[in-house]
Amino acid sequence: MKFKLLAALALATPLFFIGSVQAENPQDLQKLLETGECIKCNLSGANLSSAHLIGADLRGANLQKANLSEANLEGADLTGANLAGANLTSAYITNVNLKQANLNNANLTRAKIYDSNVYQASMNNLTITDAEIFHTGIGVGGEDAEIPDWD
């Protein structure tokens, strides 16, 4: 009897944690995965780890604290999206539009970021350890960083 109870608990325990990584709006998550489009959706906290979001339209979407680790975002439009605190570890971010996006506190460890638009994006406290960044306006700096005089 004790064995059956332990076995049941072992199987049920992961279910308690699934709810904590679900998107705020499961319908929005389903819409994104089925159509590749979810403008102004609420995907905060969504588990999109290893998702293929090639060319996805996520303009204005709330992806705060979403798990996008190892996701392929090639060609995605994240204009004005909220990615604050998002996990983008080892994500593939090429030709992505992040114009006016909120990337504050995002984790871009080991991400591959190529040819992406980050014009007017907020990027405070980024983690970019071992990230590959080419032809994208992300760099190391801060209040004491030298800003070149282009005039």
Side-chain angles (χ1 to χ4, degrees):
M1 185 66 158
K2 288 181 184 179
F3 177 74
K4 287 183 183 179
L5 179 60
L6 287 174
L9 282 174
L11 291 173
T13 300
L15 297 176
F16 293 115
F17 296 103
I18 289 174
S20 65
V21 295
Q22 294 293 322
E24 289 288 322
N25 188 333
Q27 292 82 14
D28 284 350
L29 180 59
Q30 184 175 356
K31 178 182 177 181
L32 171 62
L33 296 176
E34 288 177 1
T35 69
E37 181 179 300
C38 207
I39 299 168
K40 295 185 179 177
C41 285
N42 184 2
L43 299 167
S44 61
N47 184 0
L48 294 163
S49 178
S50 300
H52 293 278
L53 300 172
I54 300 167
D57 190 347
L58 289 160
R59 290 174 287 159
N62 181 3
L63 290 153
Q64 186 174 9
K65 296 185 179 180
N67 181 1
L68 291 153
S69 61
E70 298 183 7
N72 186 342
L73 294 162
E74 182 177 359
D77 191 347
L78 290 153
T79 301
N82 181 4
L83 292 149
N87 180 4
L88 292 149
T89 300
S90 298
Y92 187 67
I93 304 167
T94 187
N95 296 314
V96 174
N97 193 350
L98 291 160
K99 181 180 176 183
Q100 299 175 335
N102 179 351
L103 291 161
N104 293 339
N105 301 303
N107 184 352
L108 293 159
T109 299
R110 292 184 308 281
K112 292 174 178 29
I113 309 163
Y114 310 127
D115 302 305
S116 293
N117 179 3
V118 293
Y119 180 72
Q120 293 184 334
S122 181
M123 297 182 279
N124 295 315
N125 301 313
L126 284 180
T127 302
I128 55 173
T129 307
D130 296 326
E132 293 179 18
I133 304 170
F134 296 101
H135 301 114
T136 301
I138 298 175
V140 178
E143 290 180 25
D144 297 326
E146 283 282 325
I147 300 174
D149 183 8
W150 298 105
D151 292 331

